[in-house]
Amino acid sequence: MKIATRGSELALWQAKLVASVLPVPSQIAVIETEGDRALDRSLVEIGGQGVFVKEIQQRVLHHQAAVAVHSGKDLPSMPVAGLRIAAWLPRADPRDVLVGRVLKDLPEGARVGTSSIRRAAQLLALRPDVEIVSLRGNIRTRLDKGRGLDAVFVAAAALQRLDIKPPVAEVLSPDLMLPQVGQGAIAIECRADDEDTLAMLKSINDVATEQAVLAERSFLRVFGTGCSLPIGGLAEAAGAEFTLRAMVATHDGTRVLRGSARGGEPVELGVELAHSFVERGALRLLSGQDEE
């Protein structure tokens, strides 16, 4: 079975993990994506969410690979016709990490590296004096470039999976920094009409991760995008139900809406919470019209 993935160290780690749990022999095909090629431009400039997955998805659609492996946070909230996310592996720590200094030790006017509008908005809400420095590339590249800055944002899951242990790192509570929808989760996608592969992937699907990410993605889908807007969300199991926390902000962090809801049906939970945000003015915030 051919597995399509990006060529970054983390993407290859994820693809190898998938290969190790599949019940059939597999080989990995590395695909260069638009997001990999345009490292000198921001994610918003090159199209936002989807720039790390489109070429990989096309390989599966055109029968050049059986499955695609993605970081959950890279997937657009809208499904692609002809494809289905057939399995999610157990989620790693979804939280964000500040590397270089802990939050309370950032000096006045600190320079903090990130390409994430979501992270930037939440940090600016806490520390409007901070200067955000655009920083792209794989995790080791960003950590290397960030040595000239006061701190750099990375994902806890990436540090754990690649066994990277920075000397100074603070895992940020979701109360301060809600993660990207799907962060820490690994998605496996295949053709919607490939019944044999769908059945095989169902056998390795982690239902708890699937349900949590489904709630988050249902919230995001109401707003129609992902990493190009300052939106965060995290669903966590609470007995037989899930608690979904979410955030919508202005780009400069001057206005931040936060809210939560609890329920047992993930799609309904995400949609209902999103609609409550719309009633509170979330669309005005996202469009730059942030008055109440």
Side-chain angles (χ1 to χ4, degrees):
M1 172 172 287
K2 186 172 288 187
I3 300 171
T5 184
R6 296 174 57 211
S8 73
E9 182 182 9
L10 180 60
L12 287 171
W13 187 97
Q14 294 176 159
K16 290 174 182 177
L17 176 63
V18 171
S20 73
V21 298
L22 288 175
V24 296
S26 303
Q27 62 181 117
I28 295 171
V30 174
I31 313 299
E32 186 180 50
T33 68
E34 184 179 9
D36 298 312
R37 291 189 295 270
L39 290 174
D40 59 336
R41 298 162 61 197
S42 72
L43 293 176
V44 174
E45 288 179 308
I46 59 176
Q49 201 169 40
V51 298
F52 291 115
V53 302
K54 293 174 184 176
E55 288 92 342
I56 297 170
Q57 291 171 326
Q58 287 300 308
R59 295 297 180 98
V60 177
L61 280 170
H62 294 138
H63 295 254
Q64 295 170 322
V67 301
V69 176
H70 311 288
S71 292
K73 66 182 179 59
D74 291 337
L75 281 168
S77 56
M78 295 300 295
V80 174
L83 295 179
R84 183 183 301 175
I85 302 172
W88 295 88
L89 296 192
R91 193 176 206 169
D93 191 336
R95 294 175 294 176
D96 289 308
V97 177
L98 200 59
V99 174
R101 291 177 186 259
V102 298
L103 186 61
K104 68 179 180 62
D105 290 341
L106 287 178
E108 184 78 18
R111 302 175 73 233
V112 178
T114 182
S115 62
S116 166
I117 293 172
R118 170 192 58 82
R119 288 167 172 161
Q122 291 181 91
L123 179 59
L124 288 170
L126 297 168
R127 289 285 305 271
D129 61 290
V130 164
E131 177 188 351
I132 303 297
V133 179
S134 180
L135 202 60
R136 288 200 53 213
N138 63 47
I139 186 168
R140 294 188 195 275
T141 298
R142 281 181 283 137
L143 290 174
D144 287 342
K145 290 179 178 178
R147 289 175 181 169
L149 305 176
D150 292 287
V152 174
F153 276 113
V154 295
L159 292 177
Q160 292 173 357
R161 287 170 174 156
L162 299 180
D163 195 28
I164 299 172
K165 299 173 182 176
V168 178
E170 178 182 10
V171 181
L172 298 171
S173 165
D175 294 333
L176 297 176
M177 183 73 55
L178 270 173
Q180 177 70 26
V181 164
Q183 188 161 305
I186 299 172
I188 311 172
E189 197 172 32
C190 71
R191 290 182 296 279
D193 61 358
D194 187 346
E195 297 296 338
D196 290 341
T197 301
L198 286 167
M200 180 180 62
L201 293 177
K202 183 178 180 180
S203 71
I204 65 169
N205 180 51
D206 185 77
V207 176
T209 298
E210 177 189 38
Q211 296 292 294
V213 177
L214 185 56
E216 297 166 17
R217 287 170 57 78
S218 298
F219 174 86
L220 178 61
R221 190 174 297 126
V222 171
F223 301 100
T225 188
C227 64
S228 60
L229 289 177
I231 296 176
L234 179 63
E236 297 174 294
E241 297 184 318
F242 287 90
T243 296
L244 173 61
R245 288 182 282 177
M247 177 282 303
V248 174
T250 53
H251 285 67
D252 60 4
T254 55
R255 287 282 312 284
V256 179
L257 294 180
R258 292 180 180 271
S260 64
R262 183 167 172 163
E265 206 295 311
V267 173
E268 181 179 304
L269 178 63
V271 171
E272 287 184 356
L273 184 57
H275 285 163
S276 75
F277 271 66
V278 172
E279 291 174 358
R280 293 168 59 195
L283 295 177
R284 293 196 301 275
L285 261 67
L286 295 173
S287 66
Q289 302 171 12
D290 59 350
E291 66 274 9
E292 291 282 3

